[in-house]
Amino acid sequence: SIAKLLQNQSSVLRSLEININDVRSEDNMGDKELELIANSLKHNTTLMELVLEVDNPRDDFGESGCRAFLKLLNDVASIEQTYNSNHTLTKLILTEIINYPEEIEKHIDAALNINKRYLGNSHAAGQAKIIGSHLNSMTRMELCHLQ
């Protein structure tokens, strides 16, 4: 499966584009599948670009899957979790997300920008996310609410 491929630490996959024509059937992509993909990237250190293009998404396609990607990129459960968040992914495009709250998108974009800025230096990316998320009480409060 795609999730197993993404979890494989020896994977050399740098870019992945998934096009799904119809996700209205129960067997196709919804939030649970988005969460599975996000969770499978937790320890992936090679995938830099992910594009999920979906036509005719199910009604449940959206918010919780987006929350999973936010947690992947900047998990504020603890300083250690933030430091160990994914610092490799630099491009994430989720098309046709029905419930993609603007505040989640803002924080995903911020985390992706840090990953781009410190590409190849996960230590510096982790530090930047800690400083931006944990030392700014308003940002931390927002992120805690969103995750």
Side-chain angles (χ1 to χ4, degrees):
S1 76
I2 292 172
K4 286 184 181 181
L5 174 68
L6 295 173
Q7 287 174 343
N8 185 347
Q9 291 188 358
S10 64
S11 172
V12 295
L13 191 63
R14 298 253 182 230
S15 181
L16 178 62
E17 183 173 329
I18 302 172
N19 294 307
I20 301 164
N21 291 329
D22 189 359
V23 294
R24 291 193 187 274
S25 77
E26 291 183 23
D27 297 332
N28 287 324
M29 188 169 281
D31 266 349
K32 288 180 183 176
E33 291 79 12
L34 276 180
E35 291 172 24
L36 179 65
I37 291 172
N39 292 335
S40 69
L41 288 171
K42 178 70 177 162
H43 301 290
N44 183 295
T45 58
T46 59
L47 190 71
M48 297 173 66
E49 297 182 1
L50 176 61
V51 178
L52 295 171
E53 294 183 7
V54 181
D55 296 327
N56 301 315
R58 290 192 327 226
D59 292 340
D60 69 342
F61 190 63
E63 188 170 340
S64 78
C66 294
R67 287 178 191 272
F69 277 103
L70 176 58
K71 187 171 184 173
L72 166 75
L73 291 163
N74 194 3
D75 185 347
V76 295
S78 69
I79 289 174
E80 182 180 5
Q81 291 292 97
T82 302
Y83 184 78
N84 291 321
S85 295
N86 180 295
H87 307 307
T88 308
L89 197 63
T90 59
K91 180 180 179 181
L92 176 63
I93 298 175
L94 305 171
T95 64
E96 297 301 322
I97 303 296
I98 292 173
N99 301 308
Y100 193 175
E102 195 173 303
E103 62 271 12
I104 293 176
E105 184 176 16
K106 174 182 81 170
H107 289 292
I108 286 175
D109 288 345
L112 291 170
N113 285 331
I114 289 172
N115 288 357
K116 287 177 199 169
R117 188 176 321 128
Y118 297 104
L119 188 61
N121 188 346
S122 63
H123 175 73
Q127 285 181 324
K129 288 178 183 178
I130 289 167
I131 290 167
S133 301
H134 290 271
L135 298 182
N136 182 327
S137 60
M138 291 302 290
T139 300
R140 186 163 195 312
M141 187 172 64
E142 266 186 49
L143 286 166
C144 287
H145 172 71
L146 294 172
Q147 293 180 11

